[in-house]
Amino acid sequence: MNEVDKARQDDFHVTGDSPDAGCSGSACWMVVVPGPFFGGFTYHHDHDTVGPAPRPGVRVRIPFGQSERVGVILEPVRDEAGQETRALIEVLDHEPLLDSDTLACLVWAAAYYHHPLGEVVFSALPAALRGERSLRVPALRLTADGRVALEEGRVRGSRQQDVLGMLATCPGKAPVAVSELPGASAPVRRRLVEQGWVDLDEITAPATWPPSTAVETPVGDTPPPVLNDEQRAAVTAVEEAGRVFSTWLIEGVTGSGKTEVYLALIEQALAAGLQVLVVVPEISLTPQLIDRFARRLTVRPAVLHSGLSDGERMAAWRAVAAGSASLVIGTRSAAFVPLARPGLIVVDEEHDAALKQQEGFLYHARDVLIWRARQMDIPILLGSATPSLESLRHAWEGRYRHLTLTQRASGAQMPAIHCLDIRAQPMEGGISPALMRAIERHLLDGGQVMLYLNRRGYAPSLVCHACGYVAGCPHCDAYLTWHREVNRLRCHHCGFEQAVPRECPSCHAPLSVRGMGTEQLEDVLAARFPGFGIVRLDRDATAGKGVLAESLARIARGEARLVVGTQMLVKGHDFPGVTLVGVISADQALFASDFRGPERFAQSLLQVAGRAGRAERPGEVLVQTHDPAHPVLTRLLSDGYAAVMAAELAEREQAELPPTRFAALVRADAPQADAVRAFLTEVAGTLRETHGEALSVWGPVPAPLGRRAGRFRYQLLILARIRSELHRALWHIDERVGSRRPGQRIRWSIDVDPIDLA
């Protein structure tokens, strides 16, 4: 049993009646609403006013204070004698939007991540369904007279005949939505009603897939490749384990064909009439996967991510919940989509930090999906070339089943990785002579070159060498980045921006840039290698709709021989023409302040290195650094990723840090530093007093970025050897502070299993 699942069984007891608990007297219901409320509110149901009793998972309109709100019914509750409750105003749905399994998962997630229950429940709904929007649409029902008229040939108009003919083919006497009846215009409907051949009705809008407005894409036109021995062994292992809960960690080098393993197992699940949920960390990965999955399989995937319109997202979400969409591909928010016929879950790039929500409801999609897989008793696949230390530890200790793919599926060799010592080297726009020569050589040989620099903009700071002035954000403890394309200084933390000053505001001397970003790197390469075509992949360059897809298409067609980018380059993209990868600066990751820095460095380096040499041309990777003897770097290049992770695990054990300890981070911020520091000092003192040696409480200390958007930020790190002890401490904070505001404009949050201390 993995630790996420164990937390549910051993460490949590969510109070309240079960969904099938009975009610004495009048029917009462627990209703949750968005807001800082850790529980629900009891309302009673008046049959004469509202109609038949509602069911858990439906939306209702309720009186709330002096106004009205939309809530979701969670469960029936007992009517306590003498308890005064208010009545439901209206039931908005005839069928539950959230089924019992999904509601149970949301209750668990709210308890595990210590987040208000109503916020969690409403976050699982598409934005279009968080209000009073009705799903009821007009429908037609064939009458007995209409059936006789059709059989006797008394229906004259061709459109009337067509509509009645379609209604006659429907099973039973079920009404059919007007939108599903071509030709059922208003005049036709009116004539049919007047003749008594149809009755007007109202039904919940059909959740069909694909929708009629979907863009046609080829389906099932690509035959499956022949799997190699390692791929076949992985597929066979999962097959033989059966369609029951198990967590599989598929660790495969970049280009090893993990996706083909997924596809083979997905194909089997679909053939058995089951649904498959595939979760990826980034929107940028979904276009490639959608096209690849659609061409390999016989179904068109439904897609769920934040880049869709509200209507598109609602249509896909409802189709998955209704079971009409058999395959869904989405980002982390898809972790909570209801599944009508669950069969398999796949989490690709399971190590990626983007799977953890960093604002609001701070859940980790991978861990939520492991819980759901156990709840639904289905297998879950976690795939990565560089698994997280948490997942590797579970695999090494036998809690996860571990499958490895050590060879590239194409037969290509893994690229050679070499360090370039750039100390005392003459640099040209951040590029050493050795790297510049390698770029030229690969371009002339017909290859594509990819350069990785995890810093967007033109330069990370604007400085005055005369007096030392550095352009800083007035609202954050951060420097302003110069974006030369728009000639603005921008803060990458709060969004503040300003014009570029012509001179130093302090001493009026000229200003100059310090450091470099992807814009500057793009300029250097374009000037040095004109005519080869260049694409920049970062958040600024790909902000417009369709820009990312076109940029990836240019790379695939070979029109862009030079690719410059940030973290977007390491997100699993397949660039067969890339033969050289250059890491411009390894040092910014090597010397990160977060304790996860070495792990993230190794993951980023191997992921970006894996873009090279994936086809017939051999690959080469050059890493620029001022510290070629750094122990993490040397261990990674000499002994491999597993050795780095084993050493990291030993160091974390010694330092009593995750994953060898259970952790939570209490963050707080306020306009005054003293207020937020005093608030967390009080919380820390209470925890030390009430929980003693069961906890290690570190802090409060300023966050790595101590001031953001004009608010001072402090944090408290809580560590425990036993998960239940950690959650007892967090419940203590919930009870002490809960939905009450600490005052002095303090905002606070709890981050369980934090992956970022910034």
Side-chain angles (χ1 to χ4, degrees):
M1 180 182 294
N2 65 69
E3 296 183 2
V4 173
D5 298 320
K6 191 174 186 299
R8 176 207 178 193
Q9 179 170 317
D10 297 340
D11 305 333
F12 288 103
H13 176 69
V14 180
T15 58
D17 297 317
S18 63
D20 56 357
C23 296
S24 61
S26 61
C28 290
W29 303 91
M30 178 186 287
V31 179
V32 294
V33 296
F37 315 115
F38 283 82
F41 300 88
T42 301
Y43 289 83
H44 69 265
H45 163 249
D46 186 336
H47 186 280
D48 294 336
T49 304
V50 179
R55 295 160 60 188
V58 303
R59 295 171 301 159
V60 291
R61 191 156 54 90
I62 56 172
F64 196 84
Q66 300 301 311
S67 62
E68 295 180 358
R69 298 280 291 274
V70 173
V72 171
I73 288 185
L74 188 66
E75 61 185 4
V77 293
R78 292 185 177 89
D79 181 18
E80 300 293 341
Q83 180 185 15
E84 292 187 8
T85 59
R86 303 174 76 179
L88 303 175
I89 297 173
E90 182 183 4
V91 178
L92 300 175
D93 304 304
H94 286 242
E95 298 292 332
L97 297 180
L98 299 168
D99 59 33
S100 59
D101 284 347
T102 305
L103 286 173
C105 177
L106 294 169
V107 170
W108 171 83
Y112 184 84
Y113 291 106
H114 294 262
H115 196 78
L117 180 57
E119 296 282 355
V120 173
V121 171
F122 272 77
S123 72
L125 295 173
L129 294 178
R130 294 174 190 170
E132 296 187 31
R133 178 169 176 169
S134 175
L135 291 175
R136 304 291 286 178
V137 295
L140 299 180
R141 183 195 304 272
L142 183 66
T143 65
D145 288 346
R147 188 177 297 276
V148 171
L150 187 63
E151 293 172 352
E152 294 179 351
R154 291 189 283 113
V155 183
R156 294 184 178 181
S158 60
R159 291 184 179 178
Q160 296 179 38
Q161 291 177 4
D162 291 342
V163 171
L164 292 181
M166 286 183 283
L167 291 174
T169 61
C170 295
K173 298 181 179 180
V176 178
V178 168
S179 60
E180 301 291 304
L181 297 169
S185 61
V188 171
R189 298 199 302 270
R190 185 167 55 251
R191 177 62 177 163
L192 292 174
V193 171
E194 290 172 352
Q195 293 291 333
W197 294 338
V198 300
D199 288 333
L200 288 176
D201 207 332
E202 191 180 66
I203 63 171
T204 300
T208 56
W209 191 261
S212 57
T213 56
V215 177
E216 288 296 327
T217 55
V219 174
D221 67 349
T222 302
V226 177
L227 301 181
N228 62 29
D229 291 344
E230 289 183 330
Q231 291 172 310
R232 279 199 304 274
V235 172
T236 300
V238 179
E239 283 177 349
E240 292 179 347
R243 292 194 181 93
V244 295
F245 171 71
S246 53
T247 305
W248 298 85
L249 177 62
I250 304 180
E251 181 181 5
V253 299
T254 52
S256 59
K258 294 184 292 295
T259 303
E260 287 300 334
V261 173
Y262 305 157
L263 283 165
L265 294 167
I266 290 170
E267 199 166 26
Q268 294 174 11
L270 296 178
L274 302 173
Q275 287 176 297
V276 179
L277 170 60
V278 180
V279 172
V280 296
E282 293 282 351
I283 295 175
S284 62
L285 290 177
T286 53
Q288 292 186 53
L289 280 179
I290 294 166
D291 184 68
R292 185 172 179 181
F293 279 40
R295 289 180 177 275
R296 274 276 284 104
L297 303 169
T298 57
V299 299
R300 185 169 288 107
V303 183
L304 290 171
H305 60 65
S306 59
L308 302 173
S309 68
D310 285 352
E312 290 171 328
R313 187 175 179 85
M314 183 178 73
W317 187 90
R318 293 192 62 232
V320 176
S324 57
S326 298
L327 173 62
V328 55
I329 300 174
T331 50
R332 62 175 176 260
S333 60
F336 296 105
V337 64
L339 297 171
R341 307 182 313 277
L344 177 68
I345 295 174
V346 178
V347 181
D348 195 26
E349 307 295 347
E350 68 83 28
H351 69 279
D352 200 298
L355 291 170
K356 177 71 184 282
Q357 176 75 20
Q358 295 294 340
E359 294 181 353
F361 174 28
L362 306 177
Y363 67 94
H364 199 303
R366 177 198 61 208
D367 297 345
V368 167
L369 287 168
I370 291 171
W371 192 95
R372 289 195 72 186
R374 181 177 182 84
Q375 174 200 35
M376 297 183 293
D377 196 23
I378 60 173
I380 179 170
L381 312 179
L382 311 178
S384 177
T386 53
S388 64
L389 188 53
E390 284 81 1
S391 293
L392 275 177
R393 180 173 178 242
H394 290 327
W396 290 340
E397 295 179 358
R399 287 189 287 271
Y400 293 174
R401 303 192 188 191
H402 197 186
L403 302 172
T404 56
L405 306 176
T406 61
Q407 303 294 323
R408 284 186 158 175
S410 64
Q413 296 298 308
M414 293 298 295
I417 304 178
H418 301 287
C419 282
L420 297 179
D421 186 351
I422 59 175
R423 289 174 294 186
Q425 292 291 308
M427 307 293 283
E428 183 180 348
I431 302 175
S432 65
L435 180 55
M436 196 70 81
R437 289 192 298 271
I439 294 171
E440 184 175 19
R441 172 166 47 85
H442 280 265
L443 289 175
L444 293 177
D445 286 346
Q448 288 176 304
V449 174
M450 177 182 292
L451 297 180
Y452 171 64
L453 176 63
N454 197 27
R455 184 175 286 149
R456 59 194 173 97
Y458 190 85
S461 56
L462 205 60
V463 302
C464 175
H465 286 291
C467 70
Y469 163 83
V470 182
C473 176
H475 310 294
C476 304
D477 292 339
Y479 298 133
L480 295 173
T481 298
W482 180 30
H483 290 255
R484 200 178 73 169
E485 283 187 351
V486 294
N487 198 31
R488 302 283 289 177
L489 293 175
R490 288 176 175 167
C491 177
H492 289 175
H493 300 283
C494 72
F496 170 82
E497 65 175 67
Q498 68 178 45
V500 179
R502 295 184 177 182
E503 58 184 20
C504 174
S506 180
C507 71
H508 307 292
L511 293 170
S512 59
V513 299
R514 182 173 65 185
M516 72 179 307
T518 49
E519 282 185 21
Q520 186 179 163
L521 184 59
E522 180 184 24
D523 281 358
V524 170
L525 292 169
R528 187 72 165 75
F529 302 105
F532 283 98
I534 187 167
V535 161
R536 190 174 94 240
L537 294 179
D538 60 28
R539 194 186 309 170
D540 300 321
T542 59
K545 187 173 183 179
V547 175
L548 175 60
E550 176 55 28
S551 297
L552 295 175
R554 287 190 62 206
I555 298 170
R557 293 192 299 262
E559 297 172 6
R561 301 278 301 285
L562 286 159
V563 183
V564 175
T566 57
Q567 280 286 112
M568 293 183 72
L569 296 181
V570 306
K571 299 296 186 180
H573 299 295
D574 185 16
F575 303 120
V578 172
T579 56
L580 172 66
V581 167
V583 178
I584 299 302
S585 176
D587 299 340
Q588 64 186 89
L590 272 174
F591 296 99
S593 58
D594 196 308
F595 72 90
R596 297 184 189 272
E599 177 184 357
R600 289 177 178 157
F601 165 77
Q603 290 168 344
S604 294
L605 179 56
L606 291 183
Q607 288 284 344
V608 74
R611 304 311 112 195
R614 295 169 74 98
E616 66 276 0
R617 294 173 179 266
E620 180 181 10
V621 181
L622 299 178
V623 182
Q624 296 189 152
T625 177
H626 288 90
D627 190 4
H630 193 287
V632 175
L633 181 57
T634 56
R635 184 178 293 119
L636 180 64
L637 299 186
S638 62
D639 301 328
Y641 183 72
V644 172
M645 292 297 98
E648 271 298 292
L649 187 60
E651 290 186 12
R652 303 269 189 95
E653 174 66 41
Q654 187 175 9
E656 298 189 346
L657 288 168
T660 64
R661 299 294 184 275
F662 303 109
L665 199 63
V666 182
R667 294 186 176 94
D669 60 75
Q672 295 81 32
D674 290 344
V676 68
R677 184 171 56 245
F679 166 66
L680 286 184
T681 298
E682 180 184 355
V683 171
T686 301
L687 292 179
R688 292 185 179 110
E689 179 181 343
T690 56
H691 295 273
E693 296 182 357
L695 299 178
S696 294
V697 182
W698 296 4
V701 297
L705 183 66
R707 186 171 61 105
R708 180 180 181 182
R711 299 180 68 88
F712 292 90
R713 308 163 73 231
Y714 279 76
Q715 56 195 36
L716 197 66
L717 182 63
I718 308 172
L719 298 163
R721 286 183 172 273
I722 302 172
R723 192 192 296 269
S724 59
E725 293 292 345
L726 174 68
H727 284 283
R728 269 192 279 274
L730 298 180
W731 287 333
H732 188 94
I733 299 173
D734 290 341
E735 292 169 358
R736 185 178 181 85
V737 184
S739 61
R740 298 184 298 277
R741 299 181 183 275
Q744 298 179 290
R745 298 173 63 191
I746 294 173
R747 300 184 309 206
W748 68 285
S749 64
I750 293 175
D751 187 357
V752 179
D753 303 331
I755 63 169
D756 188 352
L757 299 187

